[in-house]
Amino acid sequence: MNTARQQAPGEAAAARRRTPLDILMNSGLGKLLRGIGIAPRQDSGESLLDLADALLSLRGRASGPALASAFFDLYEASDVAARQEFLAKIHDRHPADGKAIDKAIAKWQEKRDDASALALNQASESVSRRLINQLNLAPQGTRRLIDMREDLLAVPKGAATEGLAALDRELECAFIAWFNAGFLELRRIGWDSSAELLERIIQYEAVHQIQGWEDLRRRVEPADRRCYGFFHPQMPEDPLIFVEVALTAEVPGSIHAIISEEREGIRPSEANCAIFYSISNCQVGLKGIPFGNHLIKRVVGLLKKELPHLRTFATLSPVPGFAKWLAKEQGKDADGSATAPGASDLRRLAARYLCEAKGKGNQPLDPVARFHLGNGARLEAIHANADLSANGQKQSHGVMVNYLYELSDIEANFFALTELGTVAASKGVQSLLDEPEGGNRKANGKKAKSKSKDALAA
Ligand SMILES: CC(C)(COP(=O)(O)OP(=O)(O)OC[C@H]1O[C@@H](n2cnc3c(N)ncnc32)[C@H](O)[C@@H]1OP(=O)(O)O)[C@@H](O)C(=O)NCCC(=O)NCCSC(=O)CC(=O)O
């Protein structure tokens, strides 16, 4: 006998209209919340705050993960304004407990032992950090916290507050610990990887756009092509960062040689070089958590093991800030609309830009140079007409460069950059810098602050 009750007209629609908050409050958890005097209000920015309070007061109880899950259901069903309102208020809602800190300091001054040091540490732990740890217990908690930080980073600069900055610092600190490279899995991504993962690779590629499935296939399937990513156990089909590698006979001087449809493949046994030609961070919410350095070094290690005959590990990299810098040098609008000089002049100017132009903290101005040189690589070669795509022309007048990863030199290169402000550059690049001034160079008499490997070793 069918005992199912017929739904009255409109009942189904009413059920559909029930918000995640209604559902929560009608569940066992809702009863528990009411039992401890917490009754979230309907306005979702406020009810998120109420639910966060409940989570904090339920510390240590078995219902924590279920409540964390309910919190995220409500958070994700809220519009971006309500989500950001919650983020703006939550940190300030729970200021540090000054009395508890004073008491712990007094105890530390009296005893100066491990127990009082630990008590001081606990007393000064921010409530936001506790909340983050509680939320991480929800199903997919880490992934959902990353998305939450993406919301936080999207708050317009004008609306930034100290509370938001403090919450961001707490999230960043938690992520630095959870995404320590030691916990991450390095995996090869191939044509046989899941469709979900491959779709994400197309979406996340930030350097040389992937023009659909066939283009992707050319980058991950042939024996002389590799793609590797770092994965977190909670996000097995969603990479944190990935790098595309070409196995080649020689170090290439143009991107066409690597991604063109007509290129002729080689057998891995014939390859001398592993060329990193595209590395992309994937998760906006993990901004500031560095993975790239570890990824490149781990991939070099892996390839050396698999193909011990490989001699050269280098990149073929864009120079994204070059056209803008050149326009400024030439006194044109800083929109990159400078007239491009001839090829040899371009290489000389690019050498100056990469070795001498400095930004914040006296670091290389170009973001990609900052990344590779900061990893201890050496600026090896500069190529004109190397990226003829519209984007390549716009950002660097077609210039691309090779950074060389010579594992034995990495520490010295890094030291020279950070301690002396000196860019490690090959003899070829050095000679570009030494060419007499002319054309567009401003006569400022500045001496090149870069050294060849040999000069550094001397
Ligand atoms: C290169 C990275 C993996 C480095 O990651 P990090 O975590 O170390 O650094 P980050 O992401 O915080 O970036 C530092 C600052 O540089 C800026 N930045 C980074 N890449 C940029 C680019 N291509 N054009 C303009 N700005 C760029 C960031 O916005 C940020 O600015 P702010 O500090 O103001 O917020 C990543 O930045 C990234 O995915 N970039 C986009 C893709 C890219 O350019 N890849 C490198 C070129 S390919 C390549 O070189 C070959 C290869 O290696 O395979």
Side-chain angles (χ1 to χ4, degrees), residues 189-210:
I189 300 164
W191 189 239
D192 56 353
S193 297
S194 72
E196 183 190 355
L197 170 54
L198 292 176
E199 239 167 9
R200 289 198 168 115
I201 296 295
I202 296 181
Q203 177 198 335
Y204 291 143
E205 164 66 58
V207 189
H208 304 291
Q209 211 182 11
I210 299 177

Side-chain angles (χ1 to χ4, degrees), residues 32 36 52-65 67 121-123 125-127 129-131 133-134 137:
L32 191 144
I36 57 171
D53 288 349
L55 251 175
L56 289 164
S57 64
L58 284 177
R59 187 180 188 191
R61 296 201 198 184
S63 44
L67 189 55
N121 196 10
Q122 280 169 347
E125 183 189 54
S126 90
V127 177
R129 175 60 74 90
R130 258 204 301 130
L131 180 65
N133 287 339
Q134 292 279 87
L137 297 177

Side-chain angles (χ1 to χ4, degrees), residues 322-323 325-327 330 332 338-350 384-385 393 396-399 438-441:
F322 178 46
W325 172 85
L326 185 58
Q330 292 179 331
K332 302 264 171 65
T339 327
S344 63
D345 257 11
L346 264 179
R347 293 177 60 241
R348 192 173 56 76
L349 289 162
N385 299 321
Q393 297 288 3
S396 65
H397 301 296
V399 169
N440 300 300
R441 176 145 195 184

Side-chain angles (χ1 to χ4, degrees), residues 207 276-281 287 316-318 320 367-368 370-372:
V207 189
F276 298 82
Y277 66 93
S278 177
I279 184 163
S280 303
N281 271 335
K287 183 177 160 55
L316 181 62
S317 297
V368 174
R370 197 157 65 232
F371 172 67
H372 288 300

